[in-house]
Amino acid sequence: MVVHDASKGAVVHSFDPDAPPEQKAAAAGRQRDQVKSIVQQDGNVDGKGALLSLIQLSIDGATLPTITVEDTDEVTNNKQEKSGSVTPSAPTVPGEFPSGLAPAIPDWYKVGWRAVANIDAPPLEEGEEKDNHILQLFLAEQYYGQWYHNAALICFAVFASHFLTRFNFGWGWLIILLSICNTYYVTSMTRVRRCARDDIQRELIKTRLASEHESADWMNNFLDRFWLIYEPVLSATVVASVDQILSTTTPAFLDSLRLTTFTLGTKAPRIDKVRTFPKTADDIVMMDWGISFTPNDISDITPHQAAQKVNPKIVLSIRLGKGLATASMPILLEDIAFSGMMRIRLKLMANFPHVQIADISFLEKPVIDYVLKPVGGESLGFDIAHIPGLQTFIRDMVHDTLGPMMYEPNVFTVNLEQLLSGVPLDTAIGVIQVTVEAARGLKANKIGGGSPDPYVSISINNREELARTKYKPSTYNPTWMETKFILVNSLQESLVLNLLDYNDHRKDTPLGAATFNLPKLLEDATLEGLELPVLKDGKDKGMIRFNINYFPVLKPESVDGKENLPHTNVGIVRLTIHQAKELDATKSLSGDLNPLVKVFLGNSTSYTHKSQIIKHTNNPIWESPTEFICADKSTSVITIKVVDERDFLKDPVVGYMSVRLVDLLQTDPALNREWWPLSGCKSGKIRLSCEWKPLQMAGALSGADQYVPPIGIVRLWLRKATDVKNVEATLGGKSDPYVRVLVNNVTLGRTEVINNNLNPEWDQIIYIPVHSLRESMLMEVMDYQHLTKDRSLGSVELHVSDIARESPPDPQYRYESTGAKDVAEPIHTGGSSYKGQLHYKAEFVPALNVKDVQFDADENEIQKAAHKIQRNHTDGGLSRTPSSSSDEEERYVTVGHPMTEAGTHSPPPQTDSSESVRANGNGAANTDEEASSPTEKDPAKEGIELSKEELFKHQSGVIIFNVIGGHLHKKARLDVFLDDTYWPAFSTLKSRSTNAQWAHVGEGFVKELDFGRIWLRLNESGDSDKDDVIAEWKGDTKAFLDTTLDCRSSFTLTDADGRPSTVELETRYVPVPMKLLARESINNQGTFRVDLLAGKDLRSADRTGKSDPFAVFTLNGMKVFTSQTKKKNLNPDWSETFEVHVPSREVADFSVEVFDWNQLEQSKSLGHGTINLRDIEPFEATEQIIELSSEKHGAKGQVAIRLIFQPEIIVKSRKATSTLTFSSAGRAVTQIGSIPFGAGKGVVRGIGHVFKRDFGGSHEKLDVPHAIPEVPAGQASRPIGEHNTADGDTNAATASGFPSLSRTPSLSGPPSEPGTLKVTMISAKDLSMADTRPYAVLRVGDKEFKTKHGNKTSSPEWNESFNFAASAHIPRLRLWIYDHKTLGKDKLLAEGEVDIWRHIQVGHSTAAEVTVELQGGGLARLRLEFDAENNPLARHASVVSLERSQLPASSSRFSIRGRRPGFNEDN
């Protein structure tokens, strides 16, 4: 047989049967490589397949495999590689389940009715909704639909019959036409009748649903069959749960309590009637169910079912006595009946399980009946209901227990979403701070006379008492001023404040209650001065005044695909005591313990939690959770005592442990770090788990007590990335990358977005303050998404220790740089994979070691309340109740880290904290090791002392802000911007109330203190990636720092409607001496005024030997100005002026190109020249002669220009997305200096003098700096045709070749008489959409003109002129830019307005070139020319009179376009 199998190709393992197992395994292992593939070379399986069986050998009880599945695959693959054959895949059966995960559904698929209907899509902008349906553009709603179809059929029948008759078709064709019309008529009428019948029936059902009950026989039929299957499972579940509870709550005089029999019978519960409420919200289902459980009623079952019926029966066995002298006594409960009316309210949601919350309540007290036989059992038992009054007493007790839980108006809430998520149902979602101030006008008297002694008891929905105040003796107007903190599991309930009269020797007397609905805290988390009536039996019994504040639990933040909890020092601790084992039983005479656990906090002698008692075991399992508020995580110590419960004797402590909370939070069941040793005993260990839930409380995240001063800044030069990951390849696009820099999961800086590029070049410098050598910066490359969240393309991590180190003893600098790090590191995309490289340069710049860089840390609300109670206790206001357990153990830390289950100590967990946790003072003590170690010096209290004047001598440094709070007109977060950054230096959390309490410490780097600017913005958006600015303040950084450096100051932020909001803050300043690069200085950015003077010796391009030249100026590839065309001139005199905002002179590519204008063909280039901006001094007029050249014709021609540079901060704009964009022209929002360009000689007065002007101007000096007033945003202009130079010598030097200009300043107001306003619509740029055919519409008064539409571009040029009548009564010019559509309504791209008389002044400048910023994105350029002598309305005297006497004319109601979007009468 062996030879036969070997001849078939099988490998046969033969060995000596008497050999030991080791030799047999070795023999099998040596022949493992001889196993051949079961697949033949032709790819077919031999027969039905071969089976390889392995012989498993047992060596010392362990199984030693000789071959694995991987080995078999390897041999098979090798065989296939040698033979060159590939095993064909098995044929796929249609409809079978896939073997792997189903592929992800692409984003562009439309799945489900919500996607098809576009319900979740953002609303379309004005003008875009026209693309939805072509009929909606030209036909009103009444002209299409069924009426349209019927009319079309009639027209079709008429024309078709006319056609058939006209061309002599036969009667048969007419019959076919009539049959077609008849079929359509019959079908349409059938549909109309069916729809009408359905609509009528549906409306009738809606009325009947709300007023009538309906039966649920189909549900009862299902329950009758399902109950027989489900009842045994339900009974087993109830017994398993209840039996464990009974065993732990057995009284001392009983030996045990057990459920020995439990069944609910064979008859299922019934739903007698159902009523539905149709008029509810779309996501709410509300029904009334009449339910009953009457197993003894046999009227509705068949005789066969009645013969096999089993009634409900519950037997509770009570064992009396101790030890051997015990006896069991059964208590029988049978013939249970129940009926009632229940209201069920379901709140639906989109994700599974699709029902979020189920609210259940009884509309009336249910009817409950039963037979209870405590003695005698089933045969001889006596029903206690026959005892007079006892049954009524039990029924009332049941109703009193269930009433506060689920009798109307109270509801029993089941959060199915939370239940199925694995989160405990009793977990707290936040903390409510209730400050009970006083009550007034209480109406109550003590029995026998006298004033009441009132106190307040606080509960949720009248359940167990959660807190109470002290009682105030003999008063009707008590004042408590006490603060209580209450953990809440839901905000869908009511807070009840019960007032009671304290009595010494009898039960306290209720005085009334006040109810507060907790859902109000979702709208405003801080409510002060609440006054609610105290009601009793519907009557007013007085008034109570209190404050309430809600602190929610912070949710984890997702960073790099991982969820991280915010690091806070105040929060909620959820401690779960699971079990103990090997407890020391030497203190018990019987050797069995009745253990329970008590939890103590700090040095408190009263426990905060007590577990249930587990009888007769040394290895108890409690599974007892508790939650409590922690005011200071770093210093908190928890003491856990295991106590042996004895009935009438003192309970001895079996063992105890004291541990720091920060150590307890390091427990990790995955690493077997949850067992802790007990002290004070010979043996024993306890298993614990602890969860930290941070609270959103003022100062919790970035408070003053947690702040560490910076040691310096990291100058991060993000240059470019190469070959980044493409996450949009499936849609045929490329990623839109940008880089964000995160420190401790907080974004501190971002670059611009480079659209559709896998090799982006950012070339941006970001400054990141650092506080420790152990910090690291995560540079994460992100892909911008317009609608969804941005996606990560990978990250690169930079450790501060790589570029910095501690310096030798130096009083000024504690750290020093190790040199710049200029690298190209691979981008880590997850796991061990990399894609692309990030090129950056990082350099550490140390900060001065300044002394006392800290703020006075205010106590949080919990600490304030705790200290207030301690002061009251010290004054003798209240005495503590001693604990029943022994407290001879001192509260010192007995264990620092957990142990393994085997009993060995696990190593202490590694932490990244830069500060060692030291417990002392309140509630903690140092360990011996820590006490012996030297105390670290506080760096904030060391260093050099600098006065304010000495600090301000350093231009570069870190400004530290302590944002305390404020009074806001809307709930918002505060964003702080410095200089030209378009990403905030830091942001606070969104305030939970309009009375904001932030206590947030943030910081930002300023490059040049004298020239810096600061913005304070209130952002209503809760998402840090979105902007919804509702108020703003801005001012000079130096003046702001001067005001806030030594004291707290308030600043008023105003919105567009003038509503004020105040913010209170203070600052500190840490200088960082550094040498700025030329591109980093304020002189590197600003506004250039360019005077295009003239051209000379230009190349001729026409046959006549002349040219029609015009000049085009470009900045970084974008057109910024186009001059007028000078016809037939080789030496044109343009004399035009424009302004351009340059974000960086060092890298600016500024050039001019002269073209020859042609009417029919494209303009020809006459030459190109580059303009140097680097060497121009600020505020000095510099003339340059630009040599023109072209590749084809060489150098030919010159252009003369004059440049004046005004340094100012060019802020890059953030649009309403999660990323950042930047226009090449930018927008100058801050003017540095107030020098007019027409100052003539002496225009250069020194940049230092300009920047050090009085911050407050000529106004009365206030305590805080003013926000510098500026002209309305979005408009800038310069006069045309009048120029000046800085000095006369310059004009003389260029007079021979180029004409010079002059300017005579004068002032005048708008004209009272109408004149002719010539408006030239020159161009627009940076429109929101690139693929458009834009045209412009201009309106002045009621007159409107429209330009021609051009080719597809985002920077159109029109150069079209229009004449309007203008006077002082017509102050504005309205402008709209549309995208021309051949079919359909034109789309509005942008709009804007121009204040005419702001730019035109009669007698001064009658012509001006205006640049206006458009709403919707982009800039428009116009030329205004006003002729006061030419009155276009002179021929119509009546019209002129009307123009003078009335308000500005509105748009004509006969206008073709009618009113424009955003146009009103005031305009």
Side-chain angles (χ1 to χ4, degrees), residues 762-1068:
W762 297 287
D763 195 27
Q764 288 183 240
I765 298 178
I766 298 175
Y767 307 91
I768 308 296
V770 292
H771 310 82
S772 170
L773 295 180
R774 285 186 287 270
E775 283 187 354
S776 62
M777 283 170 287
L778 187 70
M779 293 170 283
E780 189 173 14
V781 185
M782 304 291 293
D783 171 56
Y784 161 64
Q785 295 293 309
H786 181 60
L787 297 177
T788 60
K789 286 190 175 182
D790 300 345
R791 294 177 287 188
S792 176
L793 305 179
S795 60
V796 173
E797 190 170 12
L798 171 65
H799 297 277
V800 178
S801 57
D802 296 339
I803 56 177
R805 65 188 176 193
E806 291 191 12
S807 63
D810 188 346
Q812 290 190 342
Y813 300 98
R814 297 173 54 217
Y815 298 88
E816 63 182 3
S817 174
T818 59
K821 182 179 180 181
D822 194 350
V823 294
E825 291 192 8
I827 301 174
H828 183 220
T829 57
S832 59
S833 58
Y834 295 85
K835 177 63 175 176
Q837 286 187 326
L838 180 65
H839 299 253
Y840 69 92
K841 181 180 180 180
E843 182 181 5
F844 174 76
V845 182
L848 283 179
N849 186 19
V850 182
K851 188 177 180 180
D852 292 331
V853 184
Q854 58 186 358
F855 301 97
D856 294 333
D858 294 334
E859 293 180 334
N860 58 50
E861 300 297 333
I862 301 175
Q863 291 172 336
K864 291 178 182 178
H867 290 171
K868 183 177 180 180
I869 294 175
Q870 288 180 359
R871 289 192 296 270
N872 293 338
H873 291 182
T874 304
D875 296 338
L878 182 66
S879 60
R880 294 184 182 270
T881 302
S883 175
S884 60
S885 62
S886 59
D887 294 319
E888 64 275 5
E889 295 85 8
E890 297 181 2
R891 298 292 192 274
Y892 58 87
V893 177
T894 62
V895 60
H897 51 85
M899 59 187 300
T900 62
E901 191 172 357
T904 60
H905 289 273
S906 62
Q910 299 293 329
T911 62
D912 296 331
S913 177
S914 60
E915 297 180 358
S916 60
V917 179
R918 302 188 182 278
N920 49 37
N922 183 17
N926 294 334
T927 60
D928 296 337
E929 292 80 7
E930 289 179 340
S932 60
S933 62
T935 305
E936 292 186 4
K937 297 180 180 180
D938 188 358
K941 297 181 180 180
E942 295 184 345
I944 58 177
E945 292 188 10
L946 296 178
S947 63
K948 181 186 295 186
E949 292 74 16
E950 292 173 331
L951 285 173
F952 288 173
K953 290 180 181 179
H954 298 274
Q955 289 295 300
S956 303
V958 177
I959 300 179
I960 307 160
F961 300 80
N962 182 21
V963 184
I964 300 163
H967 297 277
L968 318 179
H969 68 274
K970 283 185 179 180
K971 293 187 289 185
R973 72 173 194 262
L974 181 68
D975 294 338
V976 178
F977 293 80
L978 293 175
D979 294 340
D980 59 344
T981 57
Y982 43 66
W983 187 256
F986 71 93
S987 300
T988 66
L989 291 175
K990 185 177 180 180
S991 63
R992 297 171 291 105
S993 169
T994 55
N995 184 16
Q997 297 294 330
W998 284 302
H1000 184 99
V1001 176
E1003 57 193 8
F1005 179 74
V1006 58
K1007 294 180 291 186
E1008 292 175 290
L1009 184 61
D1010 286 339
F1011 314 136
R1013 295 279 285 168
I1014 184 171
W1015 283 261
L1016 304 178
R1017 292 177 181 171
L1018 289 178
N1019 196 329
E1020 193 178 10
S1021 174
D1023 189 351
S1024 60
D1025 290 339
K1026 297 180 180 179
D1027 274 346
D1028 189 5
V1029 179
I1030 60 174
E1032 183 181 71
W1033 180 95
K1034 52 189 172 184
D1036 284 346
T1037 302
K1038 189 171 184 179
F1040 170 84
L1041 194 60
D1042 185 31
T1043 305
T1044 58
L1045 194 62
D1046 296 329
C1047 61
R1048 297 180 178 182
S1049 301
S1050 295
F1051 296 84
T1052 301
L1053 291 74
T1054 56
D1055 62 356
D1057 299 329
R1059 291 177 295 183
S1061 299
T1062 60
V1063 174
E1064 184 182 10
L1065 50 81
E1066 59 179 332
T1067 61
R1068 301 289 185 268

Side-chain angles (χ1 to χ4, degrees), residues 38 40 44-51:
I38 63 174
Q40 298 180 358
N44 298 324
V45 179
D46 189 7
K48 294 184 180 180
L51 178 64

Side-chain angles (χ1 to χ4, degrees), residues 197-418:
R197 183 169 55 252
D198 293 343
D199 292 341
I200 295 172
Q201 186 176 4
R202 189 180 302 111
E203 292 300 322
L204 293 177
I205 289 175
K206 285 183 179 180
T207 305
R208 189 170 68 250
L209 284 176
S211 59
E212 301 178 6
H213 289 88
E214 55 182 335
S215 63
D217 292 337
W218 65 272
M219 177 65 75
N220 295 326
N221 189 26
F222 167 76
L223 288 176
D224 289 340
R225 288 158 173 76
F226 179 71
W227 184 255
L228 299 177
I229 301 173
Y230 179 65
E231 193 276 337
V233 179
L234 177 61
S235 299
T237 304
V238 172
V239 170
S241 302
V242 175
D243 205 38
Q244 182 179 3
I245 297 175
L246 292 175
S247 64
T248 59
T249 58
T250 303
F253 58 88
L254 299 179
D255 187 65
S256 66
L257 288 174
R258 291 291 185 270
L259 274 180
T260 57
T261 303
F262 186 93
T263 180
L264 296 177
T266 57
K267 186 178 179 182
R270 293 183 59 82
I271 302 175
D272 299 329
K273 54 185 178 180
V274 177
R275 185 174 70 163
T276 307
F277 297 88
K279 296 182 179 180
T280 58
D282 293 340
D283 59 342
I284 298 296
V285 176
M286 189 165 67
M287 299 174 288
D288 287 349
W289 284 13
I291 60 174
S292 64
F293 181 60
T294 55
N296 292 328
D297 186 7
I298 61 174
S299 61
D300 55 348
I301 62 176
T302 63
H304 178 69
Q305 292 175 338
Q308 297 181 351
K309 182 175 71 70
V310 176
N311 289 331
K313 183 179 180 181
I314 301 174
V315 178
L316 177 65
S317 296
I318 300 177
R319 184 169 294 275
L320 303 174
K322 292 288 184 179
L324 298 178
T326 59
S328 177
M329 182 179 67
I331 296 179
L332 177 63
L333 181 66
E334 59 182 359
D335 295 344
I336 304 171
F338 173 86
S339 63
M341 181 64 70
M342 178 183 293
R343 174 162 292 177
I344 301 176
R345 181 179 179 273
L346 305 177
K347 181 175 177 56
L348 308 179
M349 63 179 181
N351 53 332
F352 184 82
H354 306 298
V355 176
Q356 182 181 16
I357 296 175
D359 293 334
I360 303 173
S361 63
F362 283 102
L363 300 179
E364 56 191 19
K365 293 182 180 180
V367 178
I368 303 173
D369 193 15
Y370 55 89
V371 174
L372 179 61
K373 299 177 180 180
V375 180
E378 187 173 0
S379 302
L380 304 176
F382 174 74
D383 186 7
I384 65 172
H386 298 156
I387 301 175
L390 185 58
Q391 186 178 19
T392 304
F393 172 75
I394 296 175
R395 186 183 299 113
D396 292 342
M397 290 290 293
V398 173
H399 290 324
D400 291 342
T401 303
L402 296 179
M405 295 175 55
M406 52 193 319
Y407 286 3
E408 187 75 14
N410 302 319
V411 296
F412 182 76
T413 301
V414 179
N415 193 330
L416 296 178
E417 182 184 24
Q418 183 181 11

Side-chain angles (χ1 to χ4, degrees), residues 489-735:
N489 305 327
S490 172
L491 287 183
Q492 304 302 322
E493 298 175 313
S494 298
L495 182 73
V496 181
L497 286 79
N498 287 293
L499 274 81
L500 296 99
D501 178 19
Y502 173 78
N503 297 312
D504 291 328
H505 305 294
R506 53 189 174 85
K507 187 178 179 180
D508 297 341
T509 306
L511 302 179
T515 303
F516 174 78
N517 293 324
L518 294 180
K520 294 181 180 179
L521 294 175
L522 296 175
E523 303 174 2
D524 194 343
T526 301
L527 298 175
E528 297 181 349
L530 294 175
E531 294 185 355
L532 295 181
V534 179
L535 302 177
K536 182 180 180 182
D537 298 331
K539 298 180 180 179
D540 190 359
K541 297 294 183 180
M543 179 272 295
I544 186 171
R545 184 170 61 249
F546 63 96
N547 304 327
I548 190 168
N549 201 346
Y550 174 57
F551 304 106
V553 171
L554 290 171
K555 296 181 180 180
E557 301 172 349
S558 180
V559 177
D560 229 359
K562 300 179 182 179
E563 289 191 347
N564 298 319
L565 280 176
H567 297 285
T568 63
N569 206 30
V570 57
I572 300 174
V573 178
R574 182 178 179 85
L575 176 65
T576 303
I577 305 171
H578 298 285
Q579 65 184 99
K581 59 172 30 179
E582 303 172 5
L583 294 180
D584 184 8
T586 57
K587 297 181 181 180
S588 175
L589 298 178
S590 62
D592 289 337
L593 300 174
N594 300 323
L596 62 98
V597 172
K598 296 181 179 180
V599 179
F600 300 83
L601 303 181
N603 284 331
S604 175
T605 57
S606 59
Y607 57 83
T608 60
H609 174 69
K610 178 182 178 181
S611 71
Q612 67 271 24
I613 304 170
I614 309 296
K615 289 182 174 292
H616 309 303
T617 179
N618 297 337
N619 300 288
I621 299 176
W622 293 288
E623 296 296 339
S624 178
T626 181
E627 290 185 331
F628 54 88
I629 307 172
C630 176
D632 190 358
K633 178 174 67 174
S634 60
T635 60
S636 295
V637 173
I638 298 177
T639 300
I640 298 174
K641 294 183 180 182
V642 180
V643 180
D644 181 21
E645 195 275 343
R646 301 187 179 179
D647 297 332
F648 305 105
L649 302 177
K650 186 176 182 180
D651 301 336
V653 176
V654 178
Y656 69 94
M657 61 169 287
S658 294
V659 62
R660 292 188 190 88
L661 178 58
V662 291
D663 294 332
L664 189 59
L665 290 172
Q666 299 296 327
T667 56
D668 189 355
L671 301 178
N672 200 15
R673 289 211 310 254
E674 52 183 353
W675 287 93
W676 298 80
L678 294 176
S679 302
C681 56
K682 296 181 179 180
S683 63
K685 50 187 175 181
I686 188 170
R687 186 165 72 92
L688 309 172
S689 63
C690 192
E691 179 186 1
W692 176 259
K693 292 185 285 187
L695 285 177
Q696 184 181 343
M697 189 174 289
L701 280 178
S702 301
D705 56 340
Q706 307 172 36
Y707 181 72
V708 178
I711 63 173
I713 61 107
V714 173
R715 177 161 46 187
L716 200 58
W717 188 351
L718 296 168
R719 291 174 173 167
K720 64 178 181 178
T722 57
D723 193 25
V724 299
K725 182 180 178 181
N726 189 5
V727 293
E728 298 181 5
T730 55
L731 301 179
K734 296 180 181 179
S735 300

Side-chain angles (χ1 to χ4, degrees), residues 91-103:
T92 303
V93 179
E96 70 172 349
F97 286 101
S99 58
L101 295 175

